[in-house]
Amino acid sequence: MPPIAVTESKPVPAEEKRESQHDTSSTDPRAVQLAKIHTLLQRTILLTAVILSIWLLGPVLMVVFAATLLAVILHNLATLAQRRIKLPYWLALSLVVVILLTAFGGLIWSSGPTIAEQATRLRVALTTQAYAVRTQLGTSEFGRTLLDHLPQALGGNQTGGGTDGMGSRIAGSMTGVLSSAFGAVGTLAVILIAGLYFALSPTLYVNGLLRLFPIAHRPTARELLLVAGRTLWAWTAGQALDMFVVGVLSALGLWFIGVPLALALGVVAGLANFIPYIGAFIGAIPAILLGLSVGTREGLMVLTLYTAIQFFEGNVMAPLIQRHAVQMPPGVTILSQTVFGTILGLPGLILASPLTAALLAVMDRASPPLKDSDRV
């Protein structure tokens, strides 16, 4: 009878047991379903935390973003000066700041009294004209109905009713932190000082922000931050050129028509054009009201002037600027202004466009392009 071979059983290492158990559990449908639910809960909690942060800390985030936008502008101007003059970065940045302060001081010294006087006269004239329009509307049934449905901020009779909830009170208290502690001038000073420090040592703050990301995601985060910075610079440079052209054309056109305070109205039109689309209406309304105070013919001429300027800006200037800067769909721009303006108030409305441009650029770089079969 042949001998029976006896094989000695070897103990299975603990690591192999865990791997075999992991392979078995990975194929378990219940484990797969629980993993999906866990991932969904994580994303939901993260999204909720982001929304609550924006809601409660919106004004603070707007100050941080405004300082970042200023830092991007100063950094790129200093980089351009550094390339042309071959200076150290800190010296180029100092030169840029001195030039900007000198230009601003020279403008205030030469045209400050005139602009201030025209601004005061503009406010008085607009108040008088708005009262006249309100009185005229009150003489008809349609006008009284319109006034009853307009809020008091627009000269109407409608007042906000009801008491705010706890969430609104919390948001309102957070919104008033900066205004109560600093005021508008103090907030502007914080933005200027923080933006200058950001621009003075950009790598320090960017690298500190990158350390908050996991190591595996830091290269992607670095690339997305650089994309956002380039997009903000391109949008700001293009919008500054657009604002200058609109302001100059508006002032010259109003002066030619004979509307008073043409310089102040041109400055208002140029500054308001920082907000795309909506800014065009904000800058046109004061000019049209003053034109109507001179006469109906002048009012119609001012309306025609601003329509022609906006047609030129939208069909000639904007395509030329967007060819070298940032392309944003008009629908997305207007919706972003509505959303950020509703959530964050006036700062959100002002900064909605650069913020949306940066978000669109980041999303475009982070997401893969559509295949031809996936396109609509």
Side-chain angles (χ1 to χ4, degrees):
M1 212 177 148
I4 301 174
V6 179
T7 58
E8 184 179 356
S9 61
K10 297 181 180 180
V12 180
E15 294 180 359
E16 294 183 3
K17 287 184 178 180
R18 285 196 298 267
E19 290 180 0
S20 61
Q21 291 175 359
H22 177 71
D23 295 339
T24 304
S25 62
S26 63
T27 57
D28 187 358
R30 291 177 298 178
V32 174
Q33 193 68 21
L34 287 175
K36 291 181 178 179
I37 294 175
H38 182 261
T39 303
L40 180 62
L41 287 176
Q42 280 185 330
R43 295 178 179 178
T44 304
I45 292 174
L46 179 61
L47 181 61
T48 304
V50 171
I51 293 175
L52 285 176
S53 300
I54 294 175
W55 180 43
L56 297 177
L57 301 175
V60 180
L61 296 178
M62 285 294 98
V63 170
V64 173
F65 179 75
T68 303
L69 182 61
L70 176 61
V72 169
I73 297 172
L74 294 177
H75 172 70
N76 283 275
L77 290 176
T79 303
L80 292 176
Q82 185 182 17
R83 292 174 182 174
R84 296 295 181 91
I85 314 178
K86 305 299 181 181
L87 294 175
Y89 175 77
W90 67 271
L91 191 56
L93 179 61
S94 302
L95 180 62
V96 168
V97 172
V98 169
I99 291 175
L100 291 178
L101 291 178
T102 304
F104 183 75
L107 178 64
I108 296 299
W109 179 266
S110 60
S111 304
T114 304
I115 293 177
E117 179 186 358
Q118 290 202 5
T120 303
R121 292 171 55 193
L122 176 62
R123 180 176 59 84
V124 174
L126 289 178
T127 303
T128 305
Q129 190 66 17
Y131 179 77
V133 172
R134 178 182 171 85
T135 303
Q136 184 66 27
L137 288 175
T139 59
S140 63
E141 186 66 27
F142 174 77
R144 287 191 294 269
T145 303
L146 182 62
L147 290 175
D148 290 337
H149 288 82
L150 282 177
Q152 286 185 341
L154 297 178
N157 301 324
Q158 190 178 26
T159 58
T163 57
D164 296 335
M166 182 180 66
S168 299
R169 290 196 298 269
I170 294 175
S173 62
M174 295 302 298
T175 303
V177 167
L178 289 175
S179 60
S180 61
F182 303 105
V185 177
T187 303
L188 181 60
V190 169
I191 293 173
L192 294 176
I193 296 173
L196 181 60
Y197 277 116
F198 288 168
L200 190 61
S201 303
T203 56
L204 174 66
Y205 299 99
V206 174
N207 291 335
L209 181 61
L210 287 176
R211 294 186 64 179
L212 300 177
F213 293 90
I215 296 177
H217 299 288
R218 285 177 184 175
T220 303
R222 177 182 179 277
E223 182 182 2
L224 295 181
L225 286 175
L226 292 177
V227 168
R230 288 193 295 266
T231 303
L232 288 177
W233 167 244
W235 185 91
T236 305
Q239 200 64 21
L241 177 60
D242 193 77
M243 291 166 58
F244 177 77
V245 172
V246 170
V248 171
L249 292 179
S250 300
L252 292 177
L254 293 173
W255 172 79
F256 181 77
I257 294 173
V259 176
L261 311 176
L263 177 60
L265 291 172
V267 173
V268 170
L271 293 177
N273 213 59
F274 184 83
I275 308 174
Y277 304 108
I278 296 179
F281 296 97
I282 297 176
I285 289 175
I288 294 174
L289 288 177
L290 280 186
L292 290 174
S293 66
V294 177
T296 306
R297 174 175 167 271
E298 283 75 11
L300 293 177
M301 291 178 66
V302 171
L303 177 61
T304 305
L305 170 67
Y306 274 78
T307 303
I309 291 175
Q310 291 304 317
F311 180 83
F312 172 77
E313 187 269 339
N315 293 276
V316 179
M317 287 292 300
L320 290 176
I321 292 173
Q322 290 179 354
R323 185 181 302 173
H324 304 282
V326 180
Q327 295 185 5
M328 283 202 308
V332 174
T333 303
I334 295 175
L335 286 178
S336 68
Q337 292 169 350
T338 304
V339 172
F340 287 112
T342 303
I343 298 175
L344 304 173
L346 183 60
L349 177 64
I350 295 174
L351 298 174
S353 295
L355 181 58
T356 304
L359 291 176
L360 288 178
V362 168
M363 291 173 59
D364 181 68
R365 180 59 63 91
S367 58
L370 289 176
K371 299 180 180 178
D372 294 335
S373 58
D374 297 333
R375 297 181 181 274
V376 177

